[in-house]
Amino acid sequence: LGMAANAVAQRPDDPGMLKFQGAAFPVDEEGGVVTVVVKRLRGSTGLVEISYETTPGSATEGDDYVATSGTLSWPDGDRSDKSFTVEILDDDLDEGQETFGVLLFDPTGGAELSPPSSAVVRIKPSDRADDDGEDDGEDDGEDDDVEAGVIRLTAISFPAFESSMLAQVSVERVDGTDGEVGVDFT
């Protein structure tokens, strides 16, 4: 008899677990919307719902994205992916990558949250050059060839063993080296 390599046991009365498809959702600033996908795993018994909302980050609500909240529902027996969209606003400012969060909370129907239940939306800037990639010819008094760059995490997750009592998190500076920069962290 053959056995499935990744079989998951399902109780007959299991409403399942709800989670984001991934920990990050990238989008171009000029993209218009980002689609955020939520999965129902393990079980499908009964009607379950989950609330979602956007949370602040380096992107500015109302200037870079439209705050969004709501509820997703799965009827009994449904394990299909559900999604919601967040409108991305092109603010015509010369800025680096910006982020905001999305959060899942208050599952109903006996469903449980599973990681990741929070994720980050990364807005890739469209403002570094005109749409044709050429300098606009205007002299803003700054050297257009040198930029401070972007500081970012090197991965979307940093696994660690509880027994080690430490987790190593690394960051990198990309897309520029002009001047001294820093970043706060918690």
Side-chain angles (χ1 to χ4, degrees):
L1 296 173
M3 296 191 59
N6 293 320
V8 176
Q10 177 182 340
R11 295 186 322 239
D13 61 347
D14 192 348
M17 301 176 78
L18 304 174
K19 70 177 213 160
F20 284 120
Q21 178 181 24
F25 294 90
V27 63
D28 288 330
E29 185 176 40
E30 61 209 22
V33 298
V34 60
T35 301
V36 179
V37 178
V38 181
K39 297 183 157 294
R40 183 181 191 181
L41 304 173
R42 198 178 71 196
S44 62
T45 301
L47 168 69
V48 298
E49 296 182 329
I50 191 79
S51 296
Y52 63 86
E53 68 181 3
T54 53
T55 60
S58 61
T60 305
E61 177 186 324
D63 289 334
D64 298 308
Y65 70 98
V66 175
T68 304
S69 63
T71 303
L72 297 173
S73 299
W74 286 261
D76 183 38
D78 183 7
R79 283 190 28 191
S80 64
D81 293 351
K82 305 294 181 194
S83 64
F84 61 93
T85 59
V86 180
E87 184 178 358
I88 305 301
L89 305 173
D90 190 352
D91 60 12
D92 294 327
L93 297 176
D94 187 14
E95 55 199 358
Q97 177 177 275
E98 295 179 295
T99 63
F100 64 91
V102 286
L103 179 66
L104 294 175
F105 60 98
D106 290 340
T108 66
E112 298 175 15
L113 282 177
S114 177
S117 59
S118 63
V120 64
V121 175
R122 293 190 175 112
I123 305 172
K124 180 181 173 186
S126 64
D127 319 296
R128 298 232 178 225
D130 289 346
D131 292 339
D132 60 5
E134 299 292 324
D135 187 348
D136 61 12
E138 293 180 23
D139 185 6
D140 56 9
E142 297 181 20
D143 183 354
D144 291 332
D145 294 331
V146 181
E147 296 183 14
V150 175
I151 298 175
R152 66 182 184 193
L153 295 170
T154 59
I156 60 172
S157 66
F158 298 91
F161 292 105
E162 185 177 0
S163 61
S164 71
M165 299 180 59
L166 295 173
Q168 183 172 347
V169 178
S170 58
V171 296
E172 65 185 349
R173 182 180 183 181
V174 296
D175 297 334
T177 58
D178 187 28
E180 185 176 319
V181 297
V183 64
D184 294 327
F185 63 93
T186 57

